[in-house]
Amino acid sequence: MSYATNLWYAALWADDLAEGALQSRTICEQPIVFFRGPDGAPVALEDRCAHRFIPLSMGQLCDGAASVECPYHGLRFGTDGACVLNPHGSGRIPATLAVRAYPVVERHTMLWLWMGTETPDPDLIPDFSYLDPGAPGVVSKRDWIEMDVDYQLVIDNLLDLSHASFLHRGVLGDPSTLQCEIAIDGTDSSVTVTRTRSNIAPSKLFDLMFRNDGEAVDTWSIMRWDAPSCLRHEAGICPPGAGRDEGIMVIGTHLVTPSSRGKCIYHVAAVWLGDSPGSDDAEISAQLSALRRYAFDEQDRPILEAQQRAYDLAGGPDSLRPVMLSIDAAPLRARRVLASIIAGEAQDEADTDAGEQVFVTIH
Ligand code: FES
Ligand SMILES: [Fe+2]
């Protein structure tokens, strides 16, 4: 399976990487070990010893976290991936004795991984600054859910929120609220879907946090996907005709990390913005965390895993051709954008290979 590589992947929440700990993740089918180096900055190395391929994450940090020791025969690798200690024989370290080091950046309380060969540009990390420490609003738990689902099926799910009216009936939507104005926009690396509805019954989640009286509201929802798999969802309600400033809003973060084939890790967090009479911040955070966890883990995950099994049973991701409806326009557009990025990278690689072959021929 191919992945876009010259873009940033959400790897794990920064809080989930404690100093002194080794955390392993499989990202785009590559085993990666994360730890914090001597200065506390995150480090990402190939999680496969160059000697006999044991995961370094089963070993231990040494030299004040300046190296990680393989548990099998004790080779140590520094934060740049190069072997720094061979405890055997003369102790000679062959030049090829190294594991790959990946660029990793800590930003917006997330660790971001770069898997490509181009120079990494941190400015390509999408803006999730509303999660930064000190930003306004009440933040939910920074949560993550393992799913036996291809990451693109999760992106499809998020770019078509019509499913909230059925799958999340009573929690995030209702069939009576299905009809809405939909606008789709995008660039060569993003897709944005805007949904607006007027004078409708509020969803349970929003009603709980707004007036808790079931009275009609206007709603808006703006879901933006940035390649490869970063989504930000702004959703809010306000009294009919009152304008968004008089309502409340939740900004949801959905960072989908492809792991091995047909599996992903779904990182979620949300920030709640607005007044909430009668609730303190801790209550709001707990409600937001619990309802979102319920919706994503107990409602989305089983459906998406069943969808994945349908593909697997039929022979893989290209084995079935879904019949498309109007609601599939945004997911299709995102798939086209991602496919084009992946094809562009493959072409660049082919051009580089051809160039190298010419070079070899001349010599
Ligand atoms: S497998 Fe790592 S040192 Fe031998
Ligand atoms: Fe959902």
Side-chain angles (χ1 to χ4, degrees), residues 49 51-54 70 72-75:
C49 177
H51 177 223
R52 293 283 193 174
F53 313 129
I54 304 305
C70 177
Y72 203 10
H73 310 102
L75 288 178

Side-chain angles (χ1 to χ4, degrees), residues 134-182:
V138 181
V139 69
S140 73
K141 181 175 183 225
R142 290 173 174 80
D143 210 350
W144 54 283
I145 300 165
E146 284 185 274
M147 290 188 173
D148 289 338
V149 178
D150 180 85
Y151 75 113
Q152 293 199 65
L153 293 179
V154 184
I155 297 170
D156 291 346
N157 164 282
L158 291 162
L159 285 175
D160 165 26
L161 290 180
S162 70
H163 79 270
S165 296
F166 298 92
L167 185 57
H168 304 301
R169 191 187 305 231
V171 179
L172 301 178
D174 183 276
S176 69
T177 65
L178 189 58
Q179 296 307 325
C180 60
E181 299 286 325
I182 297 181

Side-chain angles (χ1 to χ4, degrees), residues 161-166 172-182 194-203 206 216-222 233 235-241 244:
L161 290 180
S162 70
H163 79 270
S165 296
F166 298 92
L172 301 178
D174 183 276
S176 69
T177 65
L178 189 58
Q179 296 307 325
C180 60
E181 299 286 325
I182 297 181
T194 304
R195 302 163 62 92
T196 49
R197 285 168 292 196
S198 301
N199 210 19
I200 57 154
S203 69
F206 275 108
V217 291
D218 288 350
T219 75
W220 71 95
S221 152
I222 305 165
H233 183 217
I237 64 174
C238 59
R244 294 179 186 181

Side-chain angles (χ1 to χ4, degrees), residues 8-59:
W8 294 96
Y9 285 91
L12 66 162
W13 291 115
D15 278 354
D16 290 336
L17 187 63
E19 289 197 13
L22 291 164
Q23 286 281 0
S24 74
R25 289 282 189 280
T26 301
I27 302 180
C28 300
E29 301 178 32
Q30 301 301 315
I32 318 275
V33 57
F34 294 87
F35 60 93
R36 291 191 180 276
D39 58 356
V43 175
L45 299 180
E46 178 182 0
D47 192 15
R48 188 166 48 203
C49 177
H51 177 223
R52 293 283 193 174
F53 313 129
I54 304 305
L56 297 176
S57 55
M58 295 175 75

